[in-house]
Amino acid sequence: MVRTNEPVRAARLPQRGSGSPGADRLKGFVALLAILAIVGGVPYVLLRFFGTPWPDKMPSSSMLFSELSIETVLGIIAFFIWVAWLHFVICLIAEAVAEIRGHGLSPRIPFGGGSQTMARRLIGTVVLIAAGAGVSLPVASAVTTSVATPTSVTVTQGGEQGSTAQFRQTEARSTVLSGNQAKTTTHTGVRTNHDHNGQVIKYTEVRPPQGRNYDCLWDIAERYLGEGRRYKEIYDLNKNKLQPDGRRLTNPDLILPGWQVRLPGDAKGPGVHTVRVNIEDHSNTKLPTGSKVTTGTKTTTGSKTTTGSKVTSGSETKTTPGTGSRWSEQGAESGSTITIGNAKNDPGAKTVKPGEPGITVGPHGPGTSESEPGDPAAGGTQVPEATPVTTDGGFSLTDAGIYGFGATLLAAGLALALKRRRGWALGPGPKAAGHRQTEVGLRLASDIPTAQFVDNALRKLGADMTQAQRPMPKVVAALVTDRALTLVLDPYEAPSAPPGPWQAIAEGTRWTLRRGYAPTGDVTAPAPYPTLVTIGQNADGATVLVDLDTANGIVSFGGVNNPSRDVVGSLAVELATNLWSEGAHISMVGFGDDLSSLAPSRLSYWVRLDDAIAEVANRTDAQVQACARRDLSSVADARMAYPDPVLWGAEIIFVSAPPSPEEQDQLNRLAADQQRSIAVVVVGDVMNSPWRFVVDEKNQAVCRLLGLEVDAHSIDPQQFANLVALFDAAESDSRDKRRAEQDMPAYEFSGTDLSQPAPVEVDLLGPVEVDARGTIDDGRIQLSTEIIAFLASQDYGVHPNVLAGAIWPRGISDELRDAALDHTRRWVGMDAMYADESGRWMLNRSIVRVDWDVFRTLAKQATMMDDPRGPLSTALSLVHGPAWSNLPAGRYSWLAASGIERRMVESVVDAALRLAESALNHNDGNLARTALQTGLSFSPASEELWRATLRLASHFGTAADVTNVAGQLYAALAKHGGPRGPEAETDALVDELLPGYHRPAAVA
């Protein structure tokens, strides 16, 4: 229970508690010592000081009338102590025998009472020694495939060995239901039983006690299997498995309410939860029309949903939505249609291309009436397939960054938030020098293009659905791969057709968008799913996100305490920094260290849960009133119909420990209210939670009801501290407006150099581009471009070891490094890139023209001229977009230490201001406007340029022109500026030029 009446003392983030295997072993050893002390120590003391319990000689009748001595009284007391000791030893023996045999509860000892209860507790605690030392699997283990190879691998169930050592261990298959004994080709799922429609997992939750009657395995077996003596089968399925409260089942007599107990395949009856996970099977499979796959494997959908919420799972069972909880079966066994996993086997996530061996795809032309998964809407135009991101650069994204494998979206949100924190300067300043390693890891782990793809795809979907006057579907989860975004829809809603180029798959229960059909450019529509957050990666390598708002109640993360807190911490950080959670506000209750540096306008901290609930309820009262005025039933509908990120912003409450029952009821009511956008996440197990995740020691998170198992993302306290320090340094750098003097480049260009194209051209003033005359494989372009860009940023060359450390920060062999340099050199020309006598690699600036060198040369020349308009205009003409944009994932981490980003922005902003000032001196308003717009295209958060633009509009334009510029200013700062909001000087200028202007509310 969360303490709501006194502050947290000496709290650190995350607050950590006991419950580790080491603590369990310690308790077991203490209990063992107590037993030895009672069994051996008590007799020793009695014999040492009181002698034997029987008298030394036969008593006579005179003893009944003689005066009792002290020795006699002590002897009588000692006798009763002997009797109590013997009774306790008998209780210990009975409990130990029952524990060893495993046959239910021990026989009741006459007059046992407290003695037998204490004996049972001691014996049960001793068992923790063995439980803590055992290495166990998560509640629901999955077979994990290698991310790099999508080919299926044969795995054998029933204790046989798999075909590769890279897979995680698989749970033993139940012997109760034989099912298909053949080898099964699969990528993911929990092994219990399976049929042609998919793998079946059945489980139930241990009931709470009724009076003095506690639920036990015998009762569960009798209830769901029809025979209590089959409790051993249930025990074998669940032995040593992690439970939501962090404990493990080690004693068949000791189960606790709320535990999730796996059941054999033939279990049935009210209270049995069924989850079906798709598998590949050699049964009847229907592939998409027009495609022929001859790989020898087929995919079968394990469950389907049809109109009217008719759910089919093995047997046909009708479920009426709206009765009981949405995410649990009440009174009738029904199968779950939610299968979040096996993304690469999903027809929407699997991409086939014409020309590949064994694959034929029919042509796509305008006016086609049929559409296949991944194709655009009928009558559309085929978009070329997006090239997947490769990792041939010598480092693996498995080891990238401080966040570990797959934390692409989480790190992307942090990287973008860090960029915004730096404001106009974009790049790291001098105060960030001590935190370079943290930023290098952050840049390596982040995948900003994928985050932008997800954000723009969801916003465009919302805009299209709103334009068609259709409600947005409720999303349970999303799967993101390098090829597609797939939305897993709420199975309790009737399926509908998505707008193009989205495609409906899996009987309409999933919508998928191939990356080749993603929107181009930024989409300004509202984000429809602000509580969508990354959980981790599944066995197929797909990033799995869940929508916390869809749970309609508390989402709990139980299991091992410390990893659960780390996982919940990553959820809070991502929701505070990602692109699609605009307007969201995170309330952290009971946590320690302050993380507001990461998102000052989104994060708040509370000691008392009731205070946080009152504040959140008060803020969301406006949503209830607004929905009532507009006659809308939910915030989700209002968010798209009446865009206002401040009004419809989501509220997410993170609680550091399970609340009290009264607080749980209050939180569940708030989260279930459709006219309030509230989500609740709790560290620890909550029995009445709709979604209960279990996190083990290896950060594997399992939610049985969703059929979900992932390698969860997490951030530990040390990483939190590193991030806070990095963001604090960025805050200090953003306030420092001093600009360094730009040095002349090592090679000076004359004005005639721009009249003819150079053999090799390198563009750094915008998206990085290299124009070379040689040939190179498509898979090597990204790496070679990065090498050229790094050498172009170095005026005097670089040692090969420094080059290797920058391009391959996780290390690379000399052979691979030299091979990559050789491929790059042949691409740009052997004379364009070389190593000097000392071994330093550099570009031949007489052959390679770098726009950054030309810009600095012209900017320096302009300082020595009375009329600098000519060279400054030529210099600014080299700017061709936002600085260092569209960088591929996992690359260019050396920008964290080079400082070139900041130097470029300083030079471009200075040049734009100088050119605008010189143009105004010559009464050339058009040139001044062009100069300022060019500078803003490179650094859209530069308030100096915006203030100059406002003054220019006021001087040459009308009040409407100034109002238009002010609107663009605040929109740009809301998207690219820091969380501090506009500078006071900017607001003062707007008030002076536009008295009474209504500034929009800032949304971080």
Side-chain angles (χ1 to χ4, degrees), residues 389-410:
V389 177
T390 60
T391 57
D392 60 345
F395 65 89
S396 171
L397 290 182
T398 303
D399 302 320
I402 59 177
Y403 306 101
F405 181 65
T408 53
L409 300 183
L410 167 63

Side-chain angles (χ1 to χ4, degrees), residues 261-273:
V261 178
R262 287 273 299 276
L263 299 174
D266 58 343
K268 59 184 178 179
V272 174
H273 301 263

Side-chain angles (χ1 to χ4, degrees), residues 660-906:
S660 66
E662 295 79 11
E663 292 167 336
Q664 291 179 22
D665 293 340
Q666 187 176 5
L667 290 172
N668 278 320
R669 286 196 301 269
L670 288 174
D673 190 347
Q674 297 298 312
Q675 293 186 335
R676 301 177 189 266
S677 182
I678 299 178
V680 183
V681 179
V682 172
V683 178
D685 185 44
V686 178
M687 289 183 57
N688 62 349
S689 171
W691 292 354
R692 298 169 66 187
F693 286 85
V694 182
V695 183
D696 68 0
E697 300 90 341
K698 298 179 180 179
N699 280 356
Q700 292 180 355
V702 174
C703 183
R704 279 181 167 167
L705 188 56
L706 300 181
L708 171 64
E709 178 180 4
V710 297
D711 294 323
H713 298 337
S714 64
I715 305 180
D716 61 38
Q718 183 58 48
Q719 294 167 351
F720 271 123
N722 293 337
L723 286 173
V724 170
L726 176 61
F727 273 70
D728 288 342
E731 178 76 16
S732 300
D733 282 332
S734 67
R735 299 181 184 276
D736 186 4
K737 295 301 181 66
R738 294 173 298 174
R739 296 172 184 172
E741 180 69 19
Q742 297 296 330
D743 296 329
M744 289 287 288
Y747 180 86
E748 295 187 30
F749 290 87
S750 64
T752 58
D753 290 328
L754 299 179
S755 59
Q756 298 294 330
V760 179
E761 297 184 3
V762 180
D763 296 337
L764 302 181
L765 294 171
V768 179
E769 297 177 0
V770 176
D771 184 8
R773 300 296 184 262
T775 59
I776 190 174
D777 296 337
D778 291 342
R780 304 182 188 275
I781 291 179
Q782 287 186 357
L783 174 61
S784 295
T785 300
E786 183 181 5
I787 293 175
I788 295 298
F790 178 71
L791 293 177
S793 67
Q794 307 294 321
D795 289 338
Y796 302 100
V798 63
H799 192 276
N801 291 339
V802 177
L803 173 65
I807 306 299
W808 299 277
R810 299 301 174 187
I812 190 175
S813 65
D814 293 343
E815 293 80 5
L816 292 177
R817 179 201 63 193
D818 294 341
L821 292 175
D822 184 61
H823 288 299
T824 305
R825 191 181 182 192
R826 280 184 286 166
W827 177 38
V828 298
M830 303 300 288
D831 53 347
M833 173 181 167
Y834 66 94
D836 62 8
E837 296 80 2
S838 62
R840 298 172 65 89
W841 281 91
M842 61 184 64
L843 298 178
N844 186 349
R845 290 318 212 267
S846 62
I847 297 176
V848 180
R849 184 166 66 200
V850 182
D851 60 353
W852 172 232
D853 292 344
V854 179
F855 184 95
R856 286 184 293 169
T857 301
L858 295 172
K860 199 69 174 181
Q861 292 174 359
T863 60
M864 299 178 287
M865 301 174 62
D866 294 334
D867 185 4
R869 286 181 297 170
L872 288 180
S873 297
T874 306
L876 288 175
S877 68
L878 299 173
V879 176
H880 57 281
W884 300 94
S885 56
N886 300 327
L887 297 179
R891 298 197 180 277
Y892 294 87
S893 61
W894 49 270
L895 289 173
S898 69
I900 190 174
E901 290 174 294
R902 190 180 184 94
R903 294 196 302 272
M904 280 185 173
V905 173
E906 291 174 351

